[in-house]
């Protein structure tokens, strides 16, 4: 094991004392977290790990229903403001009181975080002005009606004003600024490897049963399963679909699963004239980027046999997808179905676009972030090869992939996105909206897609208070984006955990893995 960058003697002593007062929990996750800075990257492994330390104003349960967090209640004040009543008697881990000033400091910090691969500006984009009414009341003012403010506040970790204005992520990774109000205190942190927490006895929420939490990354599926079977860890996430039934049959192990919100998709660079990794069928330079032609994008989409991937690669634990969110979730459009597999049409479209012999392209993605991610990449590459598109699969550790993807190094990349609000605003704003940093739009738009029609429908959705009317705008925007093949959706995952029977896991549809969703089995 690598030595952690910092080990606080005081916290280790606290952890040692707490360990005698209750059981410890050992969690192994498949997705590598990249930072202890809660505002560095809107990445699920980061968010889940940081929730042990940092609270939000609004919390969510396992079904993504909103519930109080650092705010006890919230309500609109007129048409363009939301008022949040903050909890009293909440203490930071260093003993300082939590007040509205900490919320103000958090909002100020988010846009200043350097080198963020996925900015948390997404969550504060609509707030024009903060008004501190008193130490425990704050109002968030917007330029227009904004019905999703409580939903967005469930995605924004609140940090201590005393730890700020530390914009340097290294201050959090070292532990010096990693001071939260959450149910656990940080003992040690080793980037991409391990974090150790000890129970916070002063937390305002329900008492946590675990005295100490060892939260580690084991990216290799086989090694993660072996660690669980050997008793080296108590819980693992992202269980490979092929191993679910085998693990379910082992008497001392249990499986927990829940349909997820995450859409696995491909982005395609159709903004640049000459993106890297694209060439003719024999490696020759092309006059134009074929991905800029919507016929080519459609060909690549219909050449993918989504049901086969769901059945054979995902062992039935996935649903073929043609849009952002799955059926049953607010904003899902019944008219937008998963594209049917049609190789003949794909070949016809390529020929019409001027590529009858196909072309070569780099297809990149992580190999340790999503369920069977590398196998999905290989399956897509095989399917594309049948229409003459030769894909060079480049699968790599997620921390490497996301950093390179943020630098626009790939013409096509595999990614995944859920929702931070229970509505499709998050993927629409981050992935599809035209890039507009001042408004927090297009922060993860790797395709370069830009549509005034889509942007207008999104604007109308985000300003519409009535849920039914807002949903119709979402659906119209979905039809535009999918018509243009702004992204190529593949499937929605089913989230699966495995644990020793001594631990009960509450499965979550947001796929986050943390100790607060686990308890000793009765």
């Amino acid at each position: 094991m690598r030595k952690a960058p910092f080990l606080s003697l005081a916290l280790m002593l606290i952890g040692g004392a707490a360990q005698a007062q209750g059981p410890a929990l050992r969690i192994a996750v498949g997705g590598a977290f990249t930072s202890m800075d809660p505002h560095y990257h809107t990445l699920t492994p980061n968010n889940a790990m940081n929730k042990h330390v940092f609270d939000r104003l609004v919390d969510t349960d396992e079904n993504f229903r909103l519930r109080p967090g650092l705010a006890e209640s919230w309500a609109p004040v007129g048409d363009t403001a939301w008022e949040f009543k903050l909890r009293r008697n909440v203490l930071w881990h260093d003993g300082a009181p939590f007040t509205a000033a900490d919320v103000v400091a958090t909002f100020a910090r988010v846009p200043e975080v350097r080198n963020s691969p996925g900015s948390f500006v997404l969550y504060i984009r609509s707030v024009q002005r903060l008004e501190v009414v008193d130490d425990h009341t704050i109002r968030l003012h917007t330029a227009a009606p904004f019905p999703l403010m409580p939903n967005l506040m469930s995605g924004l970790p609140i940090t201590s004003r005393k730890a700020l204005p530390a914009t340097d992520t290294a201050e959090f990774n070292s532990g010096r600024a990693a001071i939260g109000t959450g149910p656990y205190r940080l003992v040690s942190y080793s980037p991409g490897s391990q974090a150790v927490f000890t129970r916070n006895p002063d937390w305002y929420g329900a008492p946590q049963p675990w005295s100490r939490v060892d939260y580690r990354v084991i990216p290799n599926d086989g090694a993660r399963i072996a660690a669980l079977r050997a008793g080296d860890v108590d819980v693992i996430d992202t269980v490979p679909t092929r191993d679910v039934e085998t693990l379910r049959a082992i008497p001392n192990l249990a499986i927990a699963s829940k349909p997820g919100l995450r859409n696995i998709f491909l982005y395609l660079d159709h903004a640049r004239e000459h993106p890297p990794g694209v060439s003719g069928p024999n490696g020759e330079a092309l006059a134009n980027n074929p991905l800029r032609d919507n016929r080519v994008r459609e060909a690549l989409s219909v050449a993918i046999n989504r049901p086969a991937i769901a059945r054979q690669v995902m062992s039935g634990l996935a649903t073929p997808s043609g849009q952002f969110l799955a059926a049953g979730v607010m904003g899902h459009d019944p008219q937008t179905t998963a594209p049917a597999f049609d190789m003949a049409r794909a070949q016809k479209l390529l020929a019409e676009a001027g590529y009858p012999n196909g072309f070569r392209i780099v297809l990149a993605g992580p190999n340790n972030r999503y369920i069977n991610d590398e196998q999905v990449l290989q399956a897509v590459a095989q399917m594309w090869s049948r229409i003459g598109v030769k894909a060079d699969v480049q699968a790599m550790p997620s921390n490497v992939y996301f950093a390179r993807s943020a630098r626009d190094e790939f013409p096509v990349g595999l990614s995944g996105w859920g929702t931070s609000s229970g509505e499709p605003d998050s993927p629409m704003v981050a992935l599809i909206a035209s890039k507009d940093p001042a408004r927090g739009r297009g922060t993860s738009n790797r395709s370069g897609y830009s549509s005034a029609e889509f942007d207008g429908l999104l604007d109308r959705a985000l300003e519409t208070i009535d849920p039914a009317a807002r949903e119709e705008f979402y659906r119209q925007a979905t039809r535009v984006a999918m018509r243009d093949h702004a992204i190529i959706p593949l499937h929605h995952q089913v989230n699966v955990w495995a644990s020793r029977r001594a631990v009960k896991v509450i499965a979550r549809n947001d796929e986050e893995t943390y100790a607060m969703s686990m308890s000793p089995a009765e």
Side-chain angles (χ1 to χ4, degrees):
M1 183 190 306
R2 289 187 296 168
K3 185 177 179 181
F6 99 105
L7 279 174
S8 167
L9 178 59
L11 285 180
M12 287 200 301
L13 292 174
I14 292 173
Q19 194 161 2
Q21 300 171 12
L25 179 68
R26 300 162 301 171
I27 301 172
V29 297
F33 39 80
T34 59
S35 180
M36 199 66 223
D37 182 342
H39 303 140
Y40 175 67
H41 188 186
T42 52
L43 186 70
T44 295
N46 283 9
N47 296 340
M49 178 192 65
N50 284 317
K51 274 190 177 179
H52 292 86
V53 175
F54 300 98
D55 289 316
R56 283 90 169 135
L57 293 181
V58 180
D59 194 15
T60 56
D61 67 10
E62 65 274 14
N63 296 309
F64 219 86
R65 289 190 295 262
L66 302 183
R67 61 187 181 187
L70 286 172
E72 293 181 315
S73 64
W74 48 88
V77 179
D79 292 334
T80 59
W82 281 86
E83 183 173 277
F84 289 79
K85 293 288 188 181
L86 309 181
R87 290 182 186 271
R88 297 177 181 272
N89 303 316
V90 173
L91 298 178
W92 293 98
H93 293 162
D94 63 0
F98 162 69
T99 70
D102 297 302
V103 180
V104 173
T106 297
F107 271 71
R109 178 180 192 263
V110 166
E112 299 301 322
V113 176
R114 295 188 289 269
N115 303 316
S116 171
S119 175
F120 277 76
V121 169
L122 170 71
Y123 299 104
I124 66 172
R125 64 182 187 270
S126 298
V127 178
Q128 300 289 304
R129 178 171 62 90
L130 297 174
E131 176 189 357
V132 175
V133 179
D134 58 46
D135 279 352
H136 295 93
T137 307
I138 191 166
R139 290 180 181 172
L140 310 184
H141 292 266
T142 59
F146 191 77
L148 296 180
M149 189 63 71
N151 305 70
L152 291 186
M153 289 303 100
S154 71
L156 180 66
I158 303 300
T159 45
S160 167
R161 64 190 183 279
K162 290 182 63 178
L164 305 177
T167 57
D168 189 352
T169 292
E171 291 295 300
F172 286 84
N173 290 341
S174 72
R176 287 186 293 270
I179 299 167
T181 58
Y184 292 91
R185 299 171 177 171
L186 180 65
V187 174
S188 64
Y189 174 71
S190 182
S193 176
Q194 185 180 35
V196 177
F197 309 103
T198 188
R199 180 171 50 206
N200 174 18
D202 298 322
W203 192 49
Y204 57 83
Q208 292 296 298
W210 311 109
S211 62
R212 188 178 177 92
V213 177
D214 179 345
Y215 196 92
R216 69 184 77 168
V217 176
I218 303 181
N220 180 270
D221 292 340
R224 198 163 61 255
I225 290 173
L228 177 68
R229 297 186 67 167
D232 295 332
V233 298
D234 302 304
V235 180
I236 63 172
D237 68 0
T238 57
V239 177
T241 54
R242 65 182 180 275
D243 296 305
V244 170
E245 293 307 314
T246 299
L247 294 176
R248 197 190 302 274
I250 298 175
N252 68 330
L253 300 183
I255 294 290
S257 65
K258 199 176 192 72
L261 298 172
R262 182 173 301 282
N263 176 42
I264 302 300
F265 66 92
L266 299 174
Y267 71 80
L268 306 94
D269 185 335
H270 47 91
R272 291 182 289 179
E273 187 66 38
H274 298 288
V278 181
S279 62
N282 298 310
E284 67 274 21
L286 293 174
N288 301 294
N289 172 12
L291 300 178
R292 299 187 75 177
D293 192 316
N294 196 32
R295 292 170 295 184
V296 172
R297 300 196 296 272
E298 182 181 354
L300 294 177
S301 179
V302 300
I304 298 171
N305 190 334
R306 292 166 176 81
I309 291 176
R311 182 176 61 253
Q312 297 172 12
V313 179
M314 302 298 291
S315 302
L317 292 171
T319 303
S321 170
Q323 58 183 288
F324 306 107
L325 299 181
V329 181
M330 199 277 198
H332 174 86
D333 179 32
Q335 296 183 26
T336 304
T337 57
F341 171 56
D342 192 336
M343 188 183 301
R345 176 166 176 75
Q347 292 172 325
K348 181 175 181 290
L349 287 166
L350 283 182
E352 290 177 355
Y355 302 96
N357 299 317
F359 50 85
R360 292 180 178 272
I361 197 162
V362 169
L363 172 60
N367 59 14
N368 63 350
R369 172 63 190 94
Y370 310 113
I371 299 172
N372 302 334
D373 42 16
E374 184 170 4
Q375 295 93 318
V376 171
L377 286 168
Q378 295 291 350
V380 169
Q382 290 176 13
M383 293 170 184
W384 283 355
S385 69
R386 297 170 189 166
I387 62 170
V389 175
K390 300 178 179 65
D392 173 16
V393 173
Q394 296 186 12
M396 60 201 76
S398 59
N399 60 327
V400 176
Y401 168 70
F402 287 120
R404 294 184 61 186
S405 177
R407 296 194 296 267
D408 296 322
E409 294 186 14
F410 309 118
V412 183
L414 178 79
S415 193
W417 200 281
T419 170
S420 56
S421 66
E423 300 188 9
D425 64 295
S426 173
M428 287 183 172
V429 167
L431 301 177
I432 308 300
S434 300
K435 293 183 180 181
D436 186 348
R439 300 177 67 198
R441 298 286 181 94
T443 54
S444 297
N445 183 343
R446 306 292 180 233
S447 69
Y449 176 74
S450 179
S451 165
E453 183 181 6
F454 175 88
D455 291 339
L457 289 166
L458 177 59
D459 285 339
R460 296 188 70 180
L462 297 180
E463 295 176 3
T464 300
I465 299 295
D466 178 68
R470 184 166 72 251
E471 185 169 37
E472 180 54 31
F473 286 127
Y474 282 143
R475 289 172 172 172
Q476 292 178 33
T478 295
R479 291 167 205 155
V480 170
M482 297 303 104
R483 177 200 69 197
D484 296 344
H485 301 90
I487 60 171
I488 296 180
L490 298 178
H491 57 262
H492 289 95
Q493 296 181 163
V494 172
N495 304 325
V496 184
W497 292 260
S499 68
R500 304 189 67 77
R501 286 202 177 272
V503 178
K504 177 183 177 181
V505 177
I506 298 176
R508 300 180 58 89
N509 62 14
D510 61 10
E511 80 182 53
E512 291 189 346
T513 299
Y514 41 68
M516 296 78 78
S517 291
M518 303 169 192
S519 61
E522 298 179 356

